[in-house]
Amino acid sequence: MGITTRCIFFFLFGVTLASNDNVFARLHSDLFKDANYAKDAIPMISPAGDDNDNAVNLALGLSVISMDVSTRGVLSANTWLRTFWTDYRLKWNPADYQGVKSIRVPPSQLWKPDLSIYNAANVGCGSFEERLSSSPTLAIVYSTGDVLWMPPIPIDVNCNHDKVMVTSNDEIACNIRIGSWTYDGNHINLTSFGESDILDLNEMSSNTAYDVTSQKGDALATSHYPCCSEPYIAMDYQFTVKKTQSEEEEKESEESSEELSEEDIEEIEE
C-alpha cells in the first residue's frame, strides 16, 4: 500500500469516525443553531384564530409522590409534572442522522409553556414558576417534533377550607389549579396527559404524611373573563386528603374499638 493510498484510507476512516462520534452534536446544531431556533416564540404554524384550530396542543398531568398539610392549611406536595406538546421546528429525518429518533435536551434551550399554579401559597423565590424555570431535568425531543418533559417539582397551595387546622384527623378539601398564565385556549389548547383528568397516585410514597381519599375528576376547566372573549383553560384537580396513621396510632385505634365493643356487649347484657 503506497503512502498516498494509506493517507486517503486514514483520512476517510477519520472522517467516518468523527461523523459517528458527533451525530448528536450535528443534530443539535442543525435543530437549534443552524435553523436559528427561537425558544421564546410559541411553536404555532399559523396565528391564532377565533378557535383552537391553530393552537399548540399541550397535554398536562400531575403525579403525586408525597404530601403534607401545615397548621395554616397549606398543602405541600412533591410531584412529577407531566407535559407533552409538539414543536414543528424540531422535526428531522432519522435516516439523515444514523437512525437517531430522539435526543435529550436541556429545557433552557426549548420553548416551554408558561405554566403557573393559580392558588399557589407563595410567589417569587421558591415559587412553582421559579422552580420550573430553573429545573435542570432534560426534555426528550422526538424526530416527529414531539416533546416530553416531566420534571420533579414541589408544589405549595392554599387548601379550600374555612378553618385553620391545628391537629385534625378530618378530611380536608383541597385543589391544585394549574394552567398557562398568559396564553388563552386559542394559543394553547390544554388537554389531559394520558387522558386522565385526576391526580396520578401510582407513585405515592408509603411514608406520605397525608393520603388522597377521594378525587372529583373532570379537572379540565374553561373560564371566560370580562376583559377577553377568548377561553382560558386550566387543570383544576379537586380532591380530599386525610392524615395517615402511624402503626402506633392504628394499634391504639384498634384497641379503642375493641374496648368500645366490649362496653356495648356489657350494656346489651344488662
Side-chain angles (χ1 to χ4, degrees), residues 209-225:
Y210 277 77
D211 269 329
V212 175
T213 53
S214 66
Q215 298 196 65
K216 180 183 177 182
D218 298 325
L220 198 62
T222 301
S223 301
H224 290 84
Y225 300 99

Side-chain angles (χ1 to χ4, degrees), residues 120-155:
N122 56 348
V123 295
C125 184
S127 65
F128 171 83
E129 293 82 0
E130 192 272 336
R131 290 165 172 167
L132 192 63
S133 64
S134 60
S135 172
T137 303
L138 300 178
I140 303 177
V141 180
Y142 298 91
S143 60
T144 56
D146 293 336
V147 181
L148 176 65
W149 189 40
M150 301 199 309
I153 187 167
I155 286 176

Side-chain angles (χ1 to χ4, degrees), residues 24-266:
F24 293 102
R26 179 165 60 88
L27 178 53
H28 274 79
S29 179
D30 289 347
L31 290 176
F32 297 102
K33 185 178 179 181
D34 296 346
N36 294 319
Y37 180 84
K39 65 179 183 179
D40 295 325
I42 185 171
M44 296 176 63
I45 297 177
S46 302
D50 297 329
D51 51 34
N52 62 5
D53 286 350
N54 298 332
V56 174
N57 292 315
L58 171 64
L60 178 64
L62 202 60
S63 179
V64 180
I65 310 303
S66 64
M67 57 175 54
D68 199 356
V69 180
S70 74
T71 55
R72 297 183 295 111
V74 174
L75 182 141
S76 299
N78 289 317
T79 71
W80 295 345
L81 183 68
R82 297 179 171 181
T83 60
F84 182 86
W85 68 91
T86 299
D87 190 330
Y88 71 94
R89 302 167 297 180
L90 299 178
K91 294 181 179 181
W92 73 87
N93 185 353
D96 295 335
Y97 299 91
Q98 300 177 30
V100 173
K101 296 181 179 179
S102 66
I103 55 175
R104 275 63 176 169
V105 178
S108 59
Q109 297 182 10
L110 298 170
W111 175 88
K112 301 182 298 297
D114 62 334
L115 296 175
S116 291
I117 292 182
Y118 299 167
N119 60 325
N122 56 348
V123 295
C125 184
S127 65
F128 171 83
E129 293 82 0
E130 192 272 336
R131 290 165 172 167
L132 192 63
S133 64
S134 60
S135 172
T137 303
L138 300 178
I140 303 177
V141 180
Y142 298 91
S143 60
T144 56
D146 293 336
V147 181
L148 176 65
W149 189 40
M150 301 199 309
I153 187 167
I155 286 176
D156 301 299
V157 297
N158 292 309
C159 287
N160 293 333
H161 58 89
D162 56 3
K163 63 180 180 180
V164 176
M165 285 194 327
V166 181
T167 53
S168 173
N169 290 324
D170 296 332
E171 287 188 338
I172 304 164
C174 200
N175 77 307
I176 300 174
R177 189 178 181 91
I178 180 173
S180 171
W181 188 250
T182 62
Y183 287 112
D184 57 62
N186 294 344
H187 288 80
I188 293 182
N189 179 41
L190 204 60
T191 62
S192 301
F193 188 97
E195 299 183 353
S196 175
D197 57 3
I198 59 176
L199 297 173
D200 181 3
L201 306 178
N202 291 327
E203 304 297 332
M204 179 74 84
S205 170
S206 59
N207 296 322
T208 182
Y210 277 77
D211 269 329
V212 175
T213 53
S214 66
Q215 298 196 65
K216 180 183 177 182
D218 298 325
L220 198 62
T222 301
S223 301
H224 290 84
Y225 300 99
C227 68
C228 319
S229 60
E230 300 84 5
Y232 285 82
I233 309 174
M235 296 298 291
D236 189 9
Y237 300 105
Q238 300 183 44
F239 52 93
T240 58
V241 298
K242 188 174 183 178
K243 188 175 182 181
T244 57
Q245 288 186 322
S246 64
E247 292 182 1
E248 292 182 359
E249 289 174 332
E250 289 179 356
K251 186 176 180 180
E252 291 176 358
S253 178
E254 290 175 359
E255 291 176 350
S256 177
S257 299
E258 290 176 359
E259 290 175 359
L260 288 175
S261 298
E262 292 175 358
E263 291 177 357
D264 292 340
I265 292 173
E266 290 177 358

